[in-house]
Amino acid sequence: MRVVNPATEEPIAELEPAGVEEADAAVARAKAAFPAWRAFTPDARARVLRRLATLVEEHGEELALLETRNVGKPIADSRGEVQMVADVFQFYAGAVDKHHGETIPVSGGVDMTFREALGVVGLIVPWNFPIAIASWKLGPALACGNTVVLKPAELTPLTAVRLGELALEAGIPEGVLNVVVGPGSKVGARLAEHPDIAKIGFTGSTEVGRGVMEAAAGTIKRVTLELGGKSANVVFADADLERAAAQAPYAVFGNAGQDCCARSRILVERSAYDRFLELLVDATRGVRVGDPEDDATEMGPLITAAHREQVASFVDGNVAFRGDTPDGAGFWFPCTLVEATNDDRVAREEVFGPVAAVIPFEDEADAIRIANDTPYGLSGSIWTRDGARAFRVARAIDSGVLSINANTSVRVQTPFGGFKQSGFGRELGLHALEGYSEVKNVYYSTEA
Ligand code: NAD
């Protein structure tokens, strides 16, 4: 299996792909390691997770460079994502002894709940944020006492493999975290149906997620699905238009648009539409596209040539702006703004590239209607100086994560996940622990 740098098209690693047999062997190792890992005291489990966080920080530059070369993402972004990985392990190290049960008033005795580990969990990760998304699943899974088979995307496995080595160095016992690199159709599909796997934590496309859910049904596996998105960035005429326009490009062209939270539908109130578009074009012109290893770069190439073709197929309408790209090797695609309606393909499907649809709306009700007119519901933004309206609209949009006068979606401490066909279950924050544990209720009679 050849791993390629998307910015140079040069091979950077050659790996032997695993298949069903290797997946089964990894599940067996994880199953064998489960009793001892579950028996780790909370202190001991927290300690090794904290050590892993420290090791990730100490190897930060190495991991960031590996991620940049494998995904083509700007080095500044990779550094931020690797720091987040360390923060995620710190957070869940701290959560181990705060994931409490309850005591419940009942007749005739004492009733209490325990948070039990599930057993072996399968974690399936996409190629766009490889190490970050792996950590969002690994942190809570390990903190709750589960053992893991982690399957990175076949295009971008390198940081996951390195993370597996660092976990061993941190003192996480052999067999607790198993990284298996192989095709989704073999390794991923096997994990989804495997009788010894209790839960699948999946991030990827809605189409593959649907198949994972079907395969998991065979053994009533728990599933968490973090799927696609088509998020709206809603700009009202009373917003700070300069600020909203200055930030909008980064909310869709970040990671070259290969972001499930990309605000790829920019909805603008008609009375401010012309002015906003002018500001947006200027801001988009300023996005620095180029060598991902350059500290100043803000956008790199797409992941593959085939993906670039797919992205290009969305640009057939009214192009308001098309940016520049470097010459020569690399799967480059320019920042592109398209004027559209919400019925156009570019507004309905996930492009997963640097293409934004700019769509006018008439009033608050129309903005909410358009924002919700999508099968997805992952993320989104609302820009207005009217605080009451900001909250009215935030409550009315069917989406798991919203920002007001900002475009952020993901924080270590806060729940992240989708409504509708963007999936279900929540990652990050204390909410993620619910997805990696089972509530057990125990009643103790106190009758004499
Ligand atoms: P993908 O669905 O093609 O692949 C995701 C993972 O699933 C990969 O590891 C792949 O090997 C594996 N896989 C493929 N076929 C499988 C099968 N039959 N059974 C089990 N596993 C299988 O997605 P991708 O192209 O890697 O990533 C892009 C998609 O991920 C986009 O749709 C994006 O929106 C989504 N995404 C969602 C989030 C989120 O948190 N909601 C975050 C990042 C990406």
Side-chain angles (χ1 to χ4, degrees):
M1 217 169 69
R2 177 164 288 192
V3 182
V4 169
N5 180 338
T8 62
E9 304 182 33
E10 297 289 334
I12 50 172
E14 195 75 47
L15 304 176
E16 194 55 47
V20 169
E21 226 171 89
E22 289 80 6
D24 284 352
V27 174
R29 283 197 301 278
K31 190 179 175 184
F34 177 60
W37 179 239
R38 175 162 60 173
F40 258 54
T41 63
D43 288 359
R45 199 179 300 145
R47 206 171 301 123
V48 290
L49 286 174
R50 261 198 308 275
R51 230 181 272 145
L52 179 56
T54 304
L55 281 172
V56 168
E57 268 184 331
E58 286 172 5
H59 292 263
E61 197 56 25
E62 172 203 339
L63 288 165
L65 200 54
L66 201 56
E67 196 80 322
T68 281
R69 291 192 174 147
N70 197 167
V71 188
K73 69 173 73 209
I75 187 71
D77 292 1
S78 295
R79 287 186 184 123
E81 286 162 33
V82 168
Q83 182 58 53
M84 187 190 195
V85 172
D87 294 345
V88 164
F89 289 125
Q90 281 289 2
F91 180 88
Y92 289 107
V96 169
D97 56 9
K98 296 169 194 70
H99 191 211
H100 302 148
E102 306 135 293
T103 55
I104 302 173
V106 291
S107 306
V110 176
D111 197 284
M112 63 197 104
T113 62
F114 295 87
R115 311 281 176 160
E116 304 287 12
L118 300 173
V120 181
V121 301
L123 307 180
I124 303 177
V125 173
W127 48 260
N128 57 342
F129 293 96
I131 193 169
I133 291 179
S135 76
W136 302 354
K137 300 180 190 309
L138 283 170
L142 295 173
C144 288
N146 303 285
T147 55
V148 170
V149 179
L150 169 65
K151 195 206 91 59
E154 45 274 56
L155 292 170
T156 59
L158 300 183
T159 47
V161 170
R162 189 70 188 106
L163 193 59
E165 293 165 359
L166 293 176
L168 281 178
E169 206 177 317
I172 294 177
E174 196 91 41
V176 170
L177 166 52
N178 306 274
V179 182
V180 183
V181 180
S185 56
K186 291 187 180 152
V187 175
R190 178 62 181 150
L191 297 180
E193 64 168 28
H194 201 293
D196 288 335
I197 290 200
K199 182 228 164 88
I200 295 285
F202 174 85
T203 300
S205 59
T206 296
E207 189 189 345
V208 175
R210 196 172 286 123
V212 165
M213 198 170 166
E214 275 171 25
T219 53
I220 317 290
K221 278 184 188 52
R222 283 77 186 120
V223 256
T224 304
L225 299 177
E226 300 287 352
L227 309 175
K230 193 71 204 174
S231 299
N233 185 359
V234 183
V235 183
F236 286 96
D238 71 351
D240 180 340
L241 293 183
E242 279 74 15
R243 217 173 128 237
Q247 294 187 22
Y250 300 96
V252 54
F253 304 135
N255 214 42
Q258 303 165 123
D259 182 346
C260 52
C261 291
R263 273 90 168 144
S264 54
R265 293 185 300 147
I266 304 176
L267 314 189
V268 188
E269 191 163 4
R270 195 178 291 279
S271 58
Y273 185 88
D274 291 343
R275 171 76 186 129
F276 183 83
L277 187 60
E278 210 175 291
L279 291 166
L280 180 64
V281 165
D282 275 354
T284 304
R285 195 174 282 118
V287 175
R288 289 189 290 257
V289 183
D291 178 4
E293 291 181 42
D294 182 336
D295 284 354
T297 293
E298 294 175 321
M299 190 177 102
L302 293 171
I303 191 74
T304 60
H307 186 54
R308 179 170 56 186
E309 263 177 51
Q310 163 78 4
V311 170
S313 76
F314 282 93
V315 186
D316 57 0
N318 200 353
V319 174
F321 177 77
R322 181 180 280 125
D324 295 324
T325 56
D327 298 326
F331 309 122
W332 304 99
F333 195 88
C335 293
T336 307
L337 298 169
V338 180
E339 291 187 85
T341 75
N342 202 51
D343 296 326
D344 295 333
R345 179 170 167 249
V346 70
R348 303 224 62 88
E349 295 177 24
E350 189 177 41
V351 178
F352 230 55
V355 181
V358 191
I359 302 168
F361 67 83
E362 303 303 331
D363 55 20
E364 185 177 319
D366 197 34
I368 293 166
R369 182 189 63 75
I370 298 174
N372 283 336
D373 180 14
T374 168
Y376 297 111
L378 186 57
S379 213
S381 296
I382 300 146
W383 293 80
T384 173
R385 286 192 171 99
D386 179 340
R389 171 151 71 188
F391 271 103
R392 272 197 310 273
V393 176
R395 295 301 302 273
I397 293 181
D398 299 327
S399 177
V401 194
L402 287 155
S403 297
I404 297 167
N405 297 332
N407 296 317
T408 52
S409 296
V410 170
R411 282 178 202 79
V412 175
Q413 306 85 351
T414 58
F416 173 70
F419 281 28
K420 303 196 284 187
Q421 291 187 36
S422 289
F424 56 83
R426 291 295 178 268
E427 304 208 292
L428 297 168
L430 294 173
H431 287 76
L433 299 169
E434 305 309 318
Y436 289 95
S437 58
E438 202 77 88
V439 175
K440 181 184 284 172
N441 176 41
V442 177
Y443 172 75
Y444 195 144
S445 169
T446 52
E447 281 168 9

